[in-house]
Amino acid sequence: ADYINKLDKKDLFHFETDSSITGFEMISQPCTLEYWKENRDYLQSILDAVKDSYKEIGDNTGFHVHISTKAFKNARAVTRFVTINSFYEKCLINIARRKPTRYCEFRKVPLADYDRYIKDSMEYFAGHNTFINLHTSSYNRIMSTKTIEVRYFKSTFSADEVIETLSILEKMIDLANDGKTVYPDSLFKDVSDLKSIPFDVWDRNEKRNRIYK
């Protein structure tokens, strides 16, 4: 970690021990998607250095994305974001390249009155065993927390996969904020940065489903 830290001339990363894995946790400073696009090659150079030192990653090593609550209009937009992730669980697990573990268990959120369901289940969404950690067990404090944490993506040595992951999440944030009906086709296929997303992971019946306001 000290060697890699010296390579980080932009001071974008710091490293911490993590008792749940062998090795260390790599944490970036808060950055926008556009920043990572512009600094893709620099990010790849740091990931290459990590790969040279640690060789491999497994299902127990996750790529956790912290999203500022300022990205959402209100708490209901946050619960819509959680619901969209839950609704597309099968597709997102495929994209995430990671089997669910006790550190990122999905929970099916019912489309009918999803906001009330999450209000009544806040304890589940406030910890390290859920697919999205809201960092609070109080619905009224959602917007007071600094971030929410998406926990189900697998660690990666690819800057392109990092950018694709963030592109997917940005699209879901936009959909959560605008409150429109969500279709599988519109959720992924118009994200221009995606290079290799498997769009055939849902069946025809699931394509007919919708998420309503």
Side-chain angles (χ1 to χ4, degrees):
D2 289 339
Y3 164 71
I4 299 167
N5 213 14
K6 291 177 181 178
L7 297 177
D8 181 20
K9 304 301 183 184
K10 296 185 179 183
D11 292 326
L12 281 178
F13 302 96
H14 68 276
F15 303 88
E16 296 180 359
T17 57
D18 187 330
S19 60
S20 65
I21 60 173
T22 301
F24 58 83
E25 183 177 15
M26 178 178 172
I27 304 168
S28 78
Q29 299 296 333
C31 297
T32 65
L33 171 58
E34 290 306 314
Y35 181 89
W36 287 125
K37 289 179 180 178
E38 293 169 1
N39 291 272
R40 181 262 175 212
D41 291 344
Y42 181 80
L43 173 60
Q44 188 59 64
S45 70
I46 299 298
L47 293 174
D48 285 343
V50 175
K51 183 177 181 179
D52 289 344
S53 298
Y54 286 88
K55 308 301 182 187
E56 62 183 25
I57 51 181
D59 282 339
N60 64 326
T61 56
F63 170 27
H64 298 170
V65 181
H66 292 259
I67 303 170
S68 172
T69 51
K70 293 180 181 179
F72 299 93
K73 288 183 177 179
N74 48 41
R76 187 173 178 83
V78 174
T79 61
R80 272 183 58 81
F81 177 78
V82 173
T83 305
I84 291 168
N85 278 265
S86 171
F87 184 75
Y88 294 116
E89 174 185 353
K90 292 180 182 178
C91 182
L92 290 170
I93 287 174
N94 188 297
I95 293 170
R97 310 172 310 281
R98 185 187 191 191
K99 297 177 182 178
T101 71
R102 64 187 181 92
Y103 299 111
C104 57
E105 292 177 354
F106 271 78
R107 173 175 288 194
K108 184 62 68 177
V109 178
L111 302 187
D113 202 15
Y114 61 86
D115 195 54
R116 171 56 60 186
Y117 176 85
I118 293 176
K119 282 182 181 179
D120 294 339
S121 308
M122 285 298 296
E123 290 290 340
Y124 169 78
F125 292 103
H128 295 144
N129 296 322
T130 177
F131 64 109
I132 296 179
N133 181 4
L134 300 181
H135 295 303
T136 179
S137 58
S138 170
Y139 180 90
N140 293 330
R141 297 194 72 250
I142 287 177
M143 299 305 292
S144 298
T145 62
K146 292 182 179 180
T147 67
I148 67 170
E149 178 188 15
V150 180
R151 298 179 51 83
Y152 58 82
F153 288 94
K154 186 175 181 177
S155 294
T156 179
F157 293 129
S158 166
D160 289 332
E161 287 184 352
V162 170
I163 292 169
E164 289 178 4
T165 297
L166 299 181
S167 296
I168 291 170
L169 293 176
E170 183 181 68
K171 178 62 177 176
M172 287 193 282
I173 292 169
D174 290 343
L175 291 170
N177 281 326
D178 70 26
K180 294 180 180 178
T181 300
V182 179
Y183 291 89
D185 288 344
S186 67
L187 181 57
F188 301 115
K189 289 190 176 180
D190 60 350
V191 181
S192 60
D193 298 288
L194 305 186
K195 298 179 177 65
S196 57
I197 297 304
F199 295 116
D200 58 347
V201 294
W202 54 75
D203 60 30
R204 292 182 180 179
N205 289 330
E206 192 169 4
K207 272 194 173 184
R208 300 191 186 101
N209 290 330
R210 308 176 181 182
I211 292 178
Y212 289 100
K213 190 173 180 180

